[in-house]
Amino acid sequence: MTNTTTPGRLLLASGSPRRAELLAQIGVPFTQLTPSVVEQRQPGESPQEYIQRLAHNKSSVGLQSSEDPEGLWALGADTIVLSGENVLEKPRDYAGFESMMLALSGVEHSVLSAICLRNADRQFSRLVETRVRFRHLSKPQIEVYWLTGEPVDKAGGYGIQGMGAALVESISGSYSNVVGLPLEALIPMLEHAAIPYWQESQS
């Protein structure tokens, strides 16, 4: 499963509980920190360039924060929701959330994730896209979902791993990518870095 005899150690450079849950799901031992990285698009920067830059910066900050870099790999990731060319951020209020849901109702949108796994000498990077189609949503449905409290801290205003699953008609591509960490892309990187998975929980 690995190409070296010394197991690598993983640092998840993200405060996302959903990314942590996905790593735990496949039995990856890791530590976690929230990197201090400014998340703001630069003039002329495409959404794809933006999230790849953030993923690289987060992994770099994570690696630099360690007092014991020997054998350490830092994983940075960022995920956005795209409707056409519009980046859908976390909703600021109900009016913005309702507008977002009406725009997504009955049509496809893209979920893009960039991941970057690096150590002091090497790095692996991937950009993954999943297409998600929503059901046709009524204004009462949109309001009820808002009142669950789930949309507030979610890019694109929904969580497919939670109650937001009821909004979805179909997906094309990686499900874990929509949650926030495309495991299908990550696992080969873990293998190259000799980071074990399928390990028993230490808790």
Side-chain angles (χ1 to χ4, degrees), residues 56-127:
H56 285 209
N57 288 351
K58 290 175 181 179
S59 64
S60 179
V61 170
L63 196 64
Q64 292 169 10
S65 71
S66 175
E67 296 179 356
D68 182 20
E70 182 68 28
L72 183 70
W73 291 79
L75 173 63
D78 201 74
T79 301
I80 57 172
V81 177
L82 275 180
S83 177
E85 292 301 312
N86 297 318
V87 177
L88 303 184
E89 307 284 359
K90 298 173 184 178
R92 296 182 179 180
D93 52 32
Y94 177 70
F97 170 73
E98 182 185 50
S99 176
M100 193 181 297
M101 291 296 103
L102 290 173
L104 296 178
S105 175
V107 298
E108 272 194 343
H109 61 271
S110 291
V111 180
L112 294 173
S113 290
I115 57 175
C116 179
L117 181 68
R118 73 167 70 204
N119 68 2
D121 303 310
R122 292 186 294 163
Q123 75 172 38
F124 306 100
S125 302
R126 280 286 303 275
L127 179 67

Side-chain angles (χ1 to χ4, degrees), residues 141-164:
Q141 287 174 318
I142 292 170
E143 182 178 7
V144 170
Y145 181 49
W146 173 260
L147 292 174
T148 67
E150 185 175 84
V152 175
D153 67 340
K154 306 291 191 300
Y158 75 100
I160 196 171
Q161 75 283 358
M163 288 179 278

